[in-house]
Amino acid sequence: MGFFSRNRSTTAVAPAATATTPSATATATAVAVDPALAALTGDYTVDASHSRVGFTVRHAMVTNVRGSFADHEGTLRLDGSDPSRSSASIDVRIESVDTGIKDRDAHLRSADFFDAERFPLMAFRSTAAQQLGGDRFRITGDLTIKDVTRPLSIDLEFNGSATDVYGNERVGFEGSAEILRSDWGLTWNAALETGGVMVSDKVKLTFDISAVKTAPQA
């Protein structure tokens, strides 16, 4: 699978089978695990200061409002030998919502929308990872907003891995997903005199994640 293919070095492939090769079929299909990919296996912590969890929603039928949640934390479990066994979790603090307008942010925190006082967190927990091709994959899991949990699939691209100037091993991902906010009980709206509504039901979630590998415990 290409979960980490951007960091891929030359992969060793078993020689083609011949009539004299023992177990010809098994040998021909055997592929060695790439050490460079296997080296990425481990636990990672999302670096919130270099990551972004955002959203885009249509406003008044004619333009888009963009915002983000500054306060979030998460973990990744990457398996470079079998990427389908990788997993992710993230918790987002609703109080940190920021669209650049204080009154609008206060409205989003209110009971009309997120009701942040009663439901302070939005959470995602993965349940599966699927290869889409190249550096693209899809991670599926459960998204919880206002105590409503529904399945969500996020299409992501692996941006690569590197060691930063402080010696931290980093990986990067970016991706997006579309939801209907009404599915999670976010139903407030207002009708426009010209027709239509103030806030679209469809919301695009965006993720730009930088994560640092956690040192193994002694």
Side-chain angles (χ1 to χ4, degrees):
M1 299 175 69
F3 196 6
F4 310 109
S5 59
R6 184 164 300 181
N7 200 42
R8 186 180 297 277
S9 59
T10 303
T11 303
V13 181
T18 67
T20 58
T21 303
S23 304
T25 301
T27 303
T29 57
V31 179
V33 174
D34 186 340
L37 305 188
L40 294 177
T41 298
D43 296 317
Y44 293 75
T45 300
V46 173
D47 178 2
S49 64
H50 292 92
S51 301
R52 187 178 189 274
V53 177
F55 60 89
T56 303
V57 62
R58 182 76 70 178
H59 176 259
M61 308 294 293
V62 296
T63 190
N64 290 319
V65 169
R66 293 176 174 82
S68 62
F69 299 91
D71 190 354
H72 57 270
E73 59 184 19
T75 58
L76 308 177
R77 172 63 184 173
L78 304 184
D79 190 327
S81 299
D82 183 2
S84 67
R85 298 175 61 184
S86 300
S87 61
S89 68
I90 190 165
D91 292 317
V92 174
R93 188 160 295 279
I94 298 298
E95 188 69 25
S96 69
V97 66
D98 181 7
T99 65
I101 298 178
K102 290 184 178 180
D103 287 346
R104 182 165 58 203
D105 296 342
H107 192 197
L108 289 173
R109 297 184 190 106
S110 75
D112 281 347
F113 284 96
F114 287 107
D115 200 355
E117 187 173 345
R118 292 179 59 203
F119 307 104
L121 293 178
M122 174 171 61
F124 177 79
R125 300 290 182 270
S126 71
T127 56
Q130 176 189 357
Q131 169 67 23
L132 298 179
D135 292 323
R136 299 178 302 110
F137 68 98
R138 178 172 295 145
I139 190 164
T140 300
D142 296 319
L143 176 66
T144 301
I145 305 174
K146 297 180 69 172
D147 277 1
V148 176
T149 300
R150 296 180 62 90
L152 176 70
S153 292
I154 305 171
D155 288 345
L156 292 160
E157 182 175 359
F158 174 59
N159 286 339
S161 62
T163 301
D164 66 23
V165 295
Y166 303 104
N168 299 311
E169 297 180 59
R170 289 182 178 269
V171 292
F173 300 87
E174 61 181 320
S176 63
E178 288 189 351
I179 67 171
L180 297 179
R181 61 188 178 89
S182 58
D183 287 344
W184 280 266
L186 300 170
T187 57
W188 183 91
N189 228 322
L192 301 175
E193 292 184 3
T194 54
V197 293
M198 180 69 73
V199 185
S200 171
D201 191 22
K202 184 170 69 175
V203 179
K204 182 179 182 179
L205 303 177
T206 56
F207 305 88
D208 196 346
I209 302 298
S210 177
V212 176
K213 194 171 189 178
T214 304
Q217 295 183 351

